[in-house]
């Protein structure tokens, strides 16, 4: 046995992860169901490091030092279970199976429990950054036991992205914690992209500007608080011209956003935990809406396109308003995402370090941004922060942005430009800070039709009003 770690599943992600491991000096056992992929990896990249190829799973397992660490990088779902079932009889107590695929955290919890029963460690690990990240340094979110991290940590921290000498990898928590955090990361990515798309739409409508002009605005924004990978590539995509037609690229792309499902998982989990992640939910629904071409055509026929002619008077002011509204809405989306992680951590006893989580998203992954340092600082200063919104830096940014935010959302509503994430984020902010919410009326209605009872502001206890009788109040 000569390999320190193994990778089975050598499609684009597994292949690049194996190359990353080898380039960092680890001896890597490699295996794939169809041996052609294994052969081509070694033929094309064998000179990058020490690969130990096997064509059978048994030989692959036998080539690993003990305790063995096997990374499974195959299609998520049933294929992952099939590979685990094949691996288990070949492994021995204390060995580690790492699932780096995009598994649902509930599946990871189930698999972890089953493998624990065999004396094996199962480590569901979120890997972000796509194929480039896998090769050059991803953000890595491992769950599983603390014991398994003793073996995996030094390896993963070496191959992960590094920001200011700090690896974008840390042990998130037991069983499904890693895949849970990866799921919320993807949900936040949905919200971030929707907010950017709304900002672009507003700028385009309000300024009657070309995509190339708007690219310049995003480029400028990337020099400030909004600095991030997504803002940077927004400028790149908006500036791109379609070679076939000579039109802006963004105008020849069908306007129906697709999704692989992690946004939906995030929203479903938040509903279960009772956490209002309105930014992520609006973003997920906005993608669904864009795909309903028939309904969109029917509504357009019935009402016409909403777009009133809209030309803002003060260009500079408007651009700054949109920037501030984007930053404020983004802060809301991240605050909600971190609330969701905290709720998951409490529900499943994961003890996740929120500031530490922000740290490992600073590099390698899609939502990497300057902003994440602020999140880490906020949670490091006050781990029990009720919401990120009230941490000093965030409170300042949101507070300073409120007038802009209101102008943008009101202008958009008047002009008929849809801004679901901008406007629902503002509504969330106003609801959170309100002295009184109309939830009191909802409680009254529930008591009226269903005798569901209510609490009073002035006395302890549960009460019910005899609505159909003399309307006296009884203690329930
Ligand atoms: P795919 O999801 O396309 O999966 C292909 C791989 O799965 C091949 O190696 C294939 O083997 C193997 N496989 C499929 N079914 C079985 C089976 N029943 N038994 C054994 N092996 C099987 O590969 P990717 O590299 O794109 O992704 C791998 C994982 O990483 C997925 O879970 C994905 O969700 C996740 N991921 C992907 C990212 C990306 O950007 N693509 C980013 C982050 C995570 P064979 O060659 O024999 O067909």
């Amino acid at each position: 046995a000569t390999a320190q770690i193994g990778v089975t599943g050598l499609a684009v992600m597994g292949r690049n992860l194996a190359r990353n491991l080898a380039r960092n000096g680890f001896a890597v056992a490699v295996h794939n169901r169809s041996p052609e992929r294994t052969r081509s990896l070694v033929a094309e990249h064998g000179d990058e490091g020490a690969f130990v190829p096997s064509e059978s799973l048994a030989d692959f397992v036998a080539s690993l030092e003990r305790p063995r660490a096997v990374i499974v990088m195959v299609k998520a779902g049933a294929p992952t279970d099939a590979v685990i079932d094949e691996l288990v009889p070949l492994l021995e107590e204390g060995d580690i199976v790492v699932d780096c695929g995009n598994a649902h955290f509930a599946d990871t919890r189930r698999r972890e429990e089953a493998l624990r029963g065999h004396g094996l460690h199962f480590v569901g690990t979120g890997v972000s950054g796509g194929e480039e990240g896998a090769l050059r340094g991803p953000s890595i979110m491992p769950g599983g036991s603390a014991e398994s991290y003793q073996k995996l940590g030094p390896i993963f921290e070496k191959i992960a992205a590094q920001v200011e000498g700090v690896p974008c990898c840390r042990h998130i928590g037991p069983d499904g914690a890693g895949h849970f955090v990866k799921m919320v990361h993807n949900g936040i990515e949905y919200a971030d992209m929707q907010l950017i798309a709304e900002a672009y739409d507003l700028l385009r409508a309000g300024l009657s500007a070309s995509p190339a002009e708007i690219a310049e605005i995003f480029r400028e924004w990337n020099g400030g608080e909004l600095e991030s990978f997504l803002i940077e590539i927004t400028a790149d995509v908006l500036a791109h011209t379609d070679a076939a037609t000579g039109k802006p690229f963004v105008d020849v792309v069908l306007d129906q956003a697709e999704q692989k499902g992690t946004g939906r998982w995030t929203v479903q989990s938040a509903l279960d935990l009772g956490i209002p992640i309105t930014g992520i939910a609006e973003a997920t629904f906005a993608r669904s809406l864009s795909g309903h071409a028939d309904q969109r055509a029917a509504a357009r026929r019935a009402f016409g396109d909403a777009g009133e002619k809209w030309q803002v008077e003060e260009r500079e002011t408007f651009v700054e308003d949109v920037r501030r509204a984007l930053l404020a809405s983004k802060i809301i989306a991240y605050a909600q995402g971190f609330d969701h992680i905290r709720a998951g951590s409490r529900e499943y006893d994961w003890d996740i370090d929120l500031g530490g989580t922000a740290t490992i998203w600073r590099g390698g992954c899609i939502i990497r941004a300057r902003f994440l340092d602020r999140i880490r600082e906020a949670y490091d200063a006050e781990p029990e922060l009720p919401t990120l919104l009230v941490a000093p830096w965030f409170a300042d940014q949101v507070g300073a942005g409120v007038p802009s935010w209101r102008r943008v959302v009101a202008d958009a509503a008047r002009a008929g430009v849809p801004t679901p994430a901008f406007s629902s984020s503002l509504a969330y902010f106003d609801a959170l800070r309100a002295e009184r919410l109309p939830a009191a009326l909802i409680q009254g209605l529930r008591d009226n039709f269903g005798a569901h009872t209510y609490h009073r502001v002035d006395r302890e206890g549960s009460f019910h009003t005899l609505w159909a009788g003399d309307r006296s109040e009884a203690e329930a």
Side-chain angles (χ1 to χ4, degrees):
T2 51
Q4 291 158 284
I5 189 160
V7 180
T8 180
L10 300 174
V12 54
M13 288 296 287
R15 177 186 175 99
N16 281 357
L17 207 61
R19 289 176 61 197
N20 185 353
L21 286 159
R23 286 170 168 199
N24 275 289
F26 298 104
V28 199
V30 286
H31 170 266
N32 191 71
R33 176 179 62 179
S34 349
E36 297 75 31
R37 286 199 202 269
T38 315
R39 289 180 205 143
S40 86
L41 167 59
V42 175
E44 287 164 37
H45 303 288
D47 58 349
E48 292 177 8
F51 294 99
V52 184
S54 293
E55 300 206 347
S56 80
L57 203 60
D59 289 346
F60 167 72
V61 168
S63 73
L64 286 160
E65 285 174 7
R66 294 211 58 207
R68 302 182 183 93
V70 178
I71 296 178
V72 178
M73 205 39 162
V74 302
K75 217 177 250 317
T80 301
D81 281 314
V83 172
I84 293 171
D85 288 347
E86 245 186 289
L87 270 172
V88 166
L90 302 171
L91 298 173
E92 290 168 273
E93 200 168 329
D95 287 350
I96 305 165
V97 178
V98 188
D99 175 16
C100 284
N102 264 334
H104 191 285
F105 73 93
D107 285 331
T108 301
R109 283 165 64 75
R110 167 177 62 75
R111 290 170 181 146
E112 196 274 338
E113 197 184 346
L115 266 65
R116 199 162 4 107
H118 292 278
L120 301 172
H121 297 279
F122 183 77
V123 182
T125 300
V127 177
S128 176
E131 47 184 292
E132 254 328 273
L135 182 61
R136 300 187 197 287
S139 173
I140 309 180
M141 294 153 254
S145 64
E147 199 186 332
S148 63
Y149 196 75
Q150 286 177 4
K151 160 117 188 178
L152 297 173
I155 302 176
F156 281 174
E157 290 179 15
K158 186 134 191 233
I159 66 160
Q162 313 284 325
V163 177
E164 294 154 0
V166 180
C168 293
C169 172
R170 64 183 282 139
H171 184 224
I172 302 287
D175 62 79
H179 275 139
F180 184 90
V181 162
K182 170 66 179 2
M183 173 189 79
V184 178
H185 162 283
N186 283 28
I188 291 175
E189 178 184 313
Y190 274 54
D192 226 336
M193 286 167 71
Q194 175 66 24
L195 291 168
I196 287 173
E198 290 179 18
Y200 149 74
D201 208 20
L202 281 161
L203 292 171
R204 193 145 186 198
L207 301 174
S208 304
S210 69
E213 288 170 287
I214 300 170
E216 277 313 311
I217 296 173
F218 275 92
R219 216 162 269 147
E220 226 164 89
W221 287 355
N222 204 34
E225 288 89 0
L226 285 166
E227 181 188 323
S228 61
F229 171 67
L230 281 170
I231 295 282
E232 180 191 324
I233 63 169
T234 298
D236 192 25
V237 171
L238 288 176
H240 184 58
T241 303
D242 174 52
T245 59
K247 291 183 182 167
F249 166 79
V250 74
D251 287 346
V252 299
V253 176
L254 189 67
D255 59 347
Q256 296 182 23
E258 296 176 14
Q259 48 187 318
K260 284 205 209 153
T262 40
R264 175 165 40 87
W265 287 352
T266 314
V267 178
Q268 284 169 337
S269 155
L271 289 172
D272 290 340
L273 293 166
I275 303 301
I277 52 163
T278 56
I280 298 172
E282 289 294 354
T284 308
F285 286 134
R287 287 200 196 183
S288 307
L289 186 153
S290 76
H292 288 289
D294 291 352
Q295 285 187 325
R296 289 176 57 191
R300 241 180 357 259
R301 275 194 303 277
F303 301 108
D305 183 282
E308 299 283 317
K309 274 277 158 260
W310 181 30
Q311 180 70 51
V312 298
E313 282 159 22
E314 293 265 355
R315 185 190 151 98
E316 294 299 311
T317 314
F318 178 68
V319 171
E320 179 58 7
D321 277 353
V322 175
R323 188 190 71 84
R324 283 178 178 275
L326 173 58
L327 182 58
S329 305
K330 177 172 160 133
I331 289 171
I332 299 287
Y334 278 70
Q336 294 173 341
F338 276 83
D339 284 350
H340 188 187
I341 294 176
R342 171 148 55 197
S345 178
R346 286 190 180 146
E347 174 73 16
Y348 303 108
D349 275 331
W350 286 330
D351 199 20
I352 296 175
D353 179 327
L354 299 179
T357 301
T359 307
I360 64 169
W361 291 346
R362 294 186 308 161
C365 65
I366 307 300
I367 63 171
R368 59 184 183 264
R370 186 200 271 198
F371 183 82
L372 289 159
D373 276 326
R374 305 296 193 170
I375 299 182
R376 176 181 48 82
E377 287 160 12
Y379 282 113
D380 283 356
E382 202 183 333
E384 294 305 316
L385 204 58
T387 159
L388 197 54
L389 266 186
V390 301
W393 187 83
F394 295 94
D396 284 351
Q397 297 299 327
V398 170
V402 168
S404 294
W405 208 1
R406 294 199 192 290
R407 276 195 294 273
V408 165
V409 168
D411 284 353
R414 257 191 301 273
V417 177
T419 55
F422 270 42
S423 32
S424 87
S425 301
L426 179 57
Y428 173 89
F429 170 71
D430 281 327
L432 211 55
R433 71 203 284 253
E435 177 79 33
R436 290 276 295 161
L437 287 173
L441 175 58
I442 290 172
Q443 284 297 82
L445 298 175
R446 294 178 68 247
D447 190 59
N448 180 295
F449 69 68
H452 291 302
T453 76
Y454 50 89
H455 300 288
R456 297 182 56 99
V457 295
D458 52 359
R459 264 184 290 146
E460 289 289 307
S462 296
F463 300 91
H464 168 54
T465 291
L466 301 170
W467 296 101
D470 65 358
R471 306 210 156 205
S472 62
E473 185 175 75
E475 193 145 3

